[in-house]
Each structure stands twice: as structure tokens, then as C-alpha cells.
Amino acid sequence: MRAAIRTGLLGTTIAFTKDQPHPLPDTAELKPNEILIKVKSAAINPVDYKLPRFIGGKGVGFDVSGVVERVCATTDFSVGDNVFGRVGISSGSLADYAIVSTDRVAKKPEWLSFDEAAAIGVAYLTGVHAFKLGSVKEGSSVLVIGASGGCGLAGIQLAVAMKANVVGICSGKNFDFVRGESGIDQMENINLELVDYTDDKAMSEFKQKNVGKFDCIYDTATGSGHGENYVSSMAKLLKDVTGEYVQINGGIATLMRYFTGTMKPQQNFFFTSDEDNQTDLVEITRLLKSTGVKPHIDLLKPFDADSVAEGFEHLKGRRTKGKIVFNME
């Protein structure tokens, strides 16, 4: 079958193949709580090219949508169900077929296409889990750093739908895009403010005026690959004691503090949880439907060698607005 796989000495080179073995031969049985899906669409995230093979396995990709082909004995899913969600770390969603744990997928709503549903996965699950960590609720003050990227825009959409008062930081040239995709037009008495990180004066004034304001700072930019670090300058904008800073990328120093339990008070480094994704996926679609927004697809490509190379090159350019999706048909 077709698949994107990790190759090379360190397992960090992503290649396209037509000869990947099927994940479930005809004579094999699924494990309890597993289903086999025929992949319709798959989306990619920066973590897909950052993970080496010894951690991420040979298969590439987490975000997926498709049709159930085979089921185990103990599941509520049936053959022919349309589903979406994320595959496990060693499976790979960029393939014609994938085996998925039933707690990592949900039934696809009819109002989402397969392409749109595949774009939810990691970005939106990371956002909803981060906001749980930050105790975000109606009326909370939320700051999203990196508001026009895949995780950042997902965070904006989710926070607006949760009726939080939201501030997003991104380039001024992306203001209209973020506002148009945010869902804010469907909300009453909910604020969305945008700050241009390329405008030094605007950023300085923003930081001076908002010390101690935010219940949750969702930082999708720090540690994302080009030396960005907002933590030291933005942490002071948290409410004293109760505010939570949630960072989703980091370098070696951050990882060491995380794994040794020495993160500073109110600062969190966060990996998306694999637990109970199904409930969260259902909640994500409920929130998106409430404001009438959908995941924004920046680039939609067919699934072939040239397109896989182009898609990852675009993603590594770090100017993606929303998500990159491959249609497998």
C-alpha cells in the first residue's frame, strides 16, 4: 500500500512508498478495542518531521479520517462508519490503511468533510487539553501566542467557542485571517483582541498594560524551531497564583525541567494526552458547530511522492495558516 515512512540513518527523512505492508494481513486479528480504517484524509503537524524513527516508529502522521473496514469483537463501531481522530504514535496516518484504538477516534459529523475532519486531530486535542489544564471556562481571560498557526488558530476557535475573552498574538498581516476564522462573529459580549508581534511598540504597550490579567496563556510559538521564547516576557501577564502558562514546544532545557519535575510554578509543558480522546473529539466538534467554524485547510494535496515532499517543505517553512491535509482518494 501507499504510505509515508521515516527513513535515513537517524530515521528523520520522510519518504513516500507504494510498497508498505498492509497493517492487518487477512489472517491476522485485531486486538481488543482496535479498528482498521481505510484512510480518506490525513493531516500533518510539525511533530511528524521532528520525531526520529526510534520514538515515532516508521509510520508518519497522527491526524486521520476514514471509513471503518474491520472491527474487533468489543466495540461500538461498525464496518462502514465514518470516523476521525488520531492514530497511535507508531502507526502512521499517511497510509492507505491504519489500525486505530477505538478511544482515539469518534464518528465523523456529517457537516464536516473527511478533509476537514482530518485537520482536527493533534491541533484541536492539544488545545482542548491545554485549556483543561488552564481551567478555562466562560469569562476566562486567555492569551494565545502564535494565533495563525495550526495549534494557535485551533486554540483561538476553541477559546472563543468556550466564551472566553481572547487575545491572540500573530503577525499583523494575519489579523483579518484569524478574525475571519475565529467564530467571533457568532458570539455576543465576547472579545477577541489581536496583537502584532512584529510591532515592537504595540507589543511593549500590550505587556505593560496586561500584567496579571490572564487566567491562561497558551503558547504555541516558543521552542517551535527558530529560537522564539516568549516565556520570560509573558509569564508576568498571568494572574497571580491561579494563572497557568501552557507551553507545547520546547528545547532541551525545557524538556529536562519537565521530566525532572522542576518546572516553575504556574508554568506547564504539555504533551497531548492519549487518554479519552473520543470524548474530547465529540466536545471539539460541538464547540466548533456552536460558532459555525471549521478547521482551516491551508494546503490540500493528493497523496503521492511529490505532494508529500511539497507538503512537508511547506510545513517546515513555518508560514502555514491552519492545516496541511492530504486527500488519499
Side-chain angles (χ1 to χ4, degrees), residues 22-24 30 35-38 67-70 97-99:
H22 194 287
L24 189 70
L30 289 163
I35 57 176
L36 172 71
I37 66 171
K38 179 174 176 55
V67 180
V68 177
E69 287 257 325
R70 289 175 64 181
Y97 292 89
I99 294 174

Side-chain angles (χ1 to χ4, degrees), residues 62-121:
F62 292 97
D63 300 348
V64 70
S65 68
V67 180
V68 177
E69 287 257 325
R70 289 175 64 181
V71 298
C72 62
T74 55
T75 179
D76 293 331
F77 291 104
S78 301
V79 172
D81 283 346
N82 297 332
V83 297
F84 77 106
R86 54 170 290 180
V87 305
I89 194 166
S90 61
S91 299
S93 63
L94 269 70
D96 286 319
Y97 292 89
I99 294 174
V100 188
S101 297
T102 55
D103 59 356
R104 291 193 177 115
V105 293
K107 292 182 180 179
K108 181 183 76 66
E110 291 186 2
W111 56 273
L112 284 174
S113 69
F114 281 109
D115 294 332
E116 292 162 344
I120 289 178

Side-chain angles (χ1 to χ4, degrees), residues 33 39-40 52 55 63-64 103 114-115 117 130 150 157 160 163-164 174 180 187 196 225 258 270 323:
N33 299 317
V39 178
K40 291 288 189 178
I55 295 177
D63 300 348
V64 70
D103 59 356
F114 281 109
D115 294 332
Q157 291 178 331
V160 166
K163 300 181 180 180
N174 290 327
M187 308 300 288
D196 184 357
Y258 173 78
F270 180 72
K323 297 289 292 184

